[in-house]
Amino acid sequence: MRPGQIIVLATPVFFLLMGIEFAVGRARARRGTGQDTYRLADAVNSVGLGMLSQISAVLTGLLRIGIYTAVYSSIALFPQEAAKEFWTAWYGWLLALVFYDFCYYWLHRMGHESAVLWAAHVVHHQSQHYNLSTALRQTSSGALLGWIFYLPMAVAGVPPLVFVVVSLVDLLYQFWVHTEQVGRLGWFDRWFCSPSNHRVHHAVNDRYLDRNYGGVLIVWDRMFGTFREEDERCVYGTRGGLRSWDPLWANAEVYWALAKDSWHARSWADKLRVWIRPPGWRPADVAARFPKPPFDIAKVRRYEPVVSAGVQWFAGIQFLLLVGFAVVFLWFSDLLPLSHSAVWLAALTAMLWAIGGVLQGRLSVTEVLLIEACALATASAALGIGWLHYLFKPLALSIAIFLAARRALSAGPITGFDGLLLAGLVASLAGDVLLMGPGGMFVPGLVCFLLAHLAYIALFRIGVGLFPRPGALAATLLVGAGIYAFLWHGGLPAALRIPVGAYVVVIACMAAQAIGRAAVLRRADPSAPWVAVGACFFMLSDSLLATNKFVAPLPLAQLWVLATYYAAQVLIVRHARPKA
């Protein structure tokens, strides 16, 4: 049984214990003897990040286990048979667990003392609440460098199976220590990682910062001078503050900050030091030009955007459905090609991003349904799940039409602007349906998309005139000419050269019109550049589609074609209407 399947079997236990913790916290809060430590959005964000971590581990886990196995097989210090006999005895298993926990201590400690390792580990610390859902909040990038710290076990001849099992034991042990409902435990606190000890580790209080790294044993911290007892109330989170429910940003925020500081640093040595030095270190010239306010614990406020109860119910139900999907995927993931796992990871990421957006107030319920339908239409096409694709591909544009019509009606009488947007979406839906049919429907589908692009050109012309930036038109036509020449050279059928050429000209004009509109309205309408990005995605999607059809098959072609196509449509329908 694989680690992912063990996590699946443990999932009901995780949720049962979280339910008990939630009930205990509510009861203590009512009696005035404790507090409720759960908030829906925070718990959804934490568990969602854990789901992404587990699914991405199907891909990145090969790196960790592959390198470990290679080192074990080639440079282990002891003969494999003798080492296997030792490490699989009862005392060997116990020693291997202690050995792993020792290596984990140093990985965990360096995760707080080196910025690039902190960039991965920070995900686990971002929650401003401390409960069992926080235990599930894990990074998706930790495997990139974390494997280095476990190579001593491979060199010592610990078999890969023993390594995997003790790593899972160490990980599962740490689940229960993420709670405020369990107090001090006397002698246990002196030897083992406990809720009290680990609360200290998650706190941003000055006296608690970068303390108590042990996974199972806390004796490592006592030995190496990093132990601190809990003696004042903990304030949780990170000093930078995530202030978002976006799972992509949660994984990327520190990497992005380090990349910016590295880019701005004048010294080449400082460009490297930014990644290696402790978190928070910045070159003097960067700190002077881009100052950040010092951390003040008195100013810490929990990030809790207000959304309606209905939105919370919607997000909760959608999230539970995604949990069910993740559980099924993890159980059968060993039967799937890696490319299929990557497709489902992308779909899950898009849907979790959407749920975070609605809990943050950035997206509406309809927009979430649109993004979910787009993700499922794309994944089902890429994986050849016909019935699912035939359901969600027309549904996606139908939701987009409903969204545009609803916004138009809520703004007052239908205008020419709304009519053109709806015409573009309806023509796109017709094109989608036709392209789902037999090959002979390609040209009618092409005509529908041609009409959609003409509608978008007319739409983007409103208020700015036709092609307000001639340079943009010249650039997109030049790109279009290059694409057309590539298709011609790659084998574009003679019967399609004229219609495809006309289509290329129209889509290049559509992109140029959107770019010119963005240049004119960038101050009056900050959303206009997003529409231009959407138009460029449209051009990219059609280029990929034509390349796959007329030049050479692309790997996972439907993933790239539909992902860029739906990105275009979502950006246009969401941002085309100027902000009031």
Side-chain angles (χ1 to χ4, degrees):
M1 183 173 289
R2 295 176 298 99
Q5 292 179 317
I6 294 175
I7 295 295
V8 167
L9 294 177
T11 297
V13 179
F14 291 157
F15 277 85
L16 174 62
L17 292 175
M18 283 191 286
I20 294 172
E21 182 190 31
F22 172 74
V24 169
R26 277 290 177 93
R28 287 178 171 175
R30 284 195 295 268
R31 294 198 304 264
T33 58
Q35 61 179 335
D36 174 14
T37 59
Y38 278 89
R39 297 296 182 271
L40 176 68
D42 176 79
V44 164
N45 191 240
S46 291
V47 179
L49 284 161
M51 290 160 55
L52 287 183
S53 176
Q54 285 298 312
I55 293 181
S56 63
V58 174
L59 307 175
T60 60
L62 294 176
L63 174 69
R64 181 188 187 195
I65 299 301
I67 294 175
Y68 184 95
T69 302
V71 172
Y72 166 78
S73 301
S74 58
I75 60 173
L77 296 177
F78 307 102
Q80 286 192 16
E81 288 303 318
K84 184 176 181 180
E85 182 179 354
F86 173 82
W87 290 110
T88 54
W90 69 266
Y91 50 83
W93 282 98
L94 184 60
L95 181 60
L97 179 59
V98 174
F99 196 173
Y100 182 92
D101 201 56
F102 176 74
C103 295
Y104 173 84
Y105 168 86
W106 286 105
L107 167 61
H108 199 178
R109 179 169 175 173
M110 292 308 299
H112 286 251
E113 295 182 0
S114 174
V116 69
L117 295 174
W118 172 248
H121 182 57
V122 67
V123 176
H124 184 61
H125 282 263
Q126 289 160 340
S127 175
Q128 293 179 293
H129 298 270
Y130 190 76
N131 52 54
L132 293 176
S133 75
T134 310
L136 304 180
R137 186 184 188 98
Q138 298 293 330
T139 180
S140 295
S141 63
L144 298 178
L145 294 173
W147 55 270
I148 296 170
F149 291 84
Y150 298 107
L151 292 184
M153 297 184 70
V155 173
V158 179
L161 176 63
V162 175
F163 170 74
V164 169
V165 171
V166 297
S167 69
L168 196 60
V169 170
D170 203 276
L171 177 67
L172 292 174
Y173 172 88
Q174 294 177 55
F175 175 75
W176 79 281
V177 302
H178 292 81
T179 182
E180 291 196 82
Q181 306 303 337
V182 176
R184 302 288 292 273
L185 297 176
W187 68 269
F188 190 89
D189 290 338
R190 292 194 292 274
W191 294 93
F192 295 96
C193 179
S194 65
S196 175
N197 291 333
H198 206 61
R199 285 194 290 270
V200 167
H201 177 71
H202 274 257
V204 294
N205 311 50
D206 286 339
R207 64 184 291 100
Y208 292 159
L209 204 61
D210 300 333
R211 299 286 181 169
N212 297 7
Y213 297 111
V216 173
L217 299 172
I218 205 69
V219 293
W220 310 123
D221 292 281
R222 293 182 180 274
M223 288 172 60
F224 298 113
T226 54
F227 178 75
R228 177 75 70 186
E229 287 192 12
E230 183 182 27
D231 53 16
E232 69 179 36
R233 181 152 190 82
C234 298
V235 177
Y236 302 109
T238 59
R239 292 198 161 192
L242 178 63
R243 305 195 67 76
S244 173
W245 303 133
D246 182 344
L248 291 175
W249 183 240
N251 275 285
E253 63 146 345
V254 174
Y255 289 110
W256 178 245
L258 293 175
K260 288 195 298 182
D261 280 356
S262 181
W263 174 262
H264 290 134
R266 294 191 177 100
S267 163
W268 284 101
D270 282 345
K271 290 179 183 294
L272 177 62
R273 289 191 190 101
V274 162
W275 301 90
I276 300 173
R277 295 291 295 271
W281 181 88
R282 307 178 78 203
D285 61 303
V286 175
R289 285 181 292 150
F290 306 96
K292 294 182 180 179
F295 175 75
D296 183 352
I297 199 168
K299 295 181 179 179
V300 172
R301 298 291 182 271
R302 282 179 173 169
Y303 178 71
E304 295 179 347
V306 178
V307 295
S308 69
V311 166
Q312 293 188 57
W313 274 101
F314 168 80
I317 293 170
Q318 295 285 308
F319 182 71
L320 288 177
L321 292 173
L322 289 185
V323 170
F325 161 75
V327 163
V328 173
F329 170 83
L330 288 172
W331 188 260
F332 294 104
S333 61
D334 61 330
L335 305 177
L336 299 175
L338 286 182
S339 59
H340 289 203
S341 297
V343 170
W344 284 124
L345 173 62
L348 178 68
T349 301
M351 292 187 281
L352 284 173
W353 179 86
I355 291 174
V358 77
L359 287 172
Q360 204 168 319
R362 292 186 293 107
L363 298 176
S364 67
V365 167
T366 309
E367 288 171 330
V368 172
L369 294 174
L370 171 60
I371 291 169
E372 290 176 338
C374 292
L376 290 171
T378 301
S380 57
L383 301 178
I385 309 174
W387 67 270
L388 196 65
H389 184 62
Y390 284 119
L391 171 63
F392 281 102
K393 190 171 186 183
L395 179 61
L397 264 290
S398 298
I399 295 173
I401 292 168
F402 171 78
L403 175 62
R406 181 180 174 187
R407 284 183 172 174
L409 292 172
S410 65
I414 299 291
T415 64
F417 180 97
D418 301 312
L420 289 169
L421 177 57
L422 289 169
L425 292 170
V426 169
S428 296
L429 175 58
D432 281 347
V433 173
L434 289 170
L435 291 181
M436 288 166 64
M441 305 305 292
F442 177 77
V443 173
L446 194 70
V447 171
C448 287
F449 279 110
L450 190 68
L451 294 173
H453 295 321
L454 289 171
Y456 284 147
I457 290 173
L459 173 68
F460 302 152
R461 173 183 170 276
I462 294 175
V464 298
L466 193 62
F467 306 126
R469 292 293 186 270
L473 178 61
T476 56
L477 286 174
L478 184 62
V479 171
I483 293 170
Y484 186 70
F486 175 70
L487 297 175
W488 183 300
H489 180 73
L492 180 65
L496 292 177
R497 287 172 182 172
I498 292 177
V500 169
Y503 187 87
V504 169
V505 171
V506 170
I507 195 169
C509 290
M510 190 267 286
Q513 184 65 46
I515 294 169
R517 176 178 179 269
V520 173
L521 299 179
R522 64 182 182 274
R523 290 187 177 85
D525 181 12
S527 294
W530 288 112
V531 175
V533 172
C536 292
F537 269 128
F538 235 135
M539 199 168 181
L540 175 59
S541 176
D542 287 335
S543 301
L544 293 169
L545 174 64
T547 299
N548 183 69
K549 187 173 183 64
F550 300 124
V551 180
L554 300 175
L556 290 175
Q558 290 298 311
L559 173 65
W560 313 119
V561 170
L562 289 180
T564 49
Y565 167 69
Y566 285 125
Q569 295 284 25
V570 169
L571 288 170
I572 290 172
V573 74
R574 186 164 191 263
H575 296 291
R577 173 177 284 278
K579 302 298 182 184

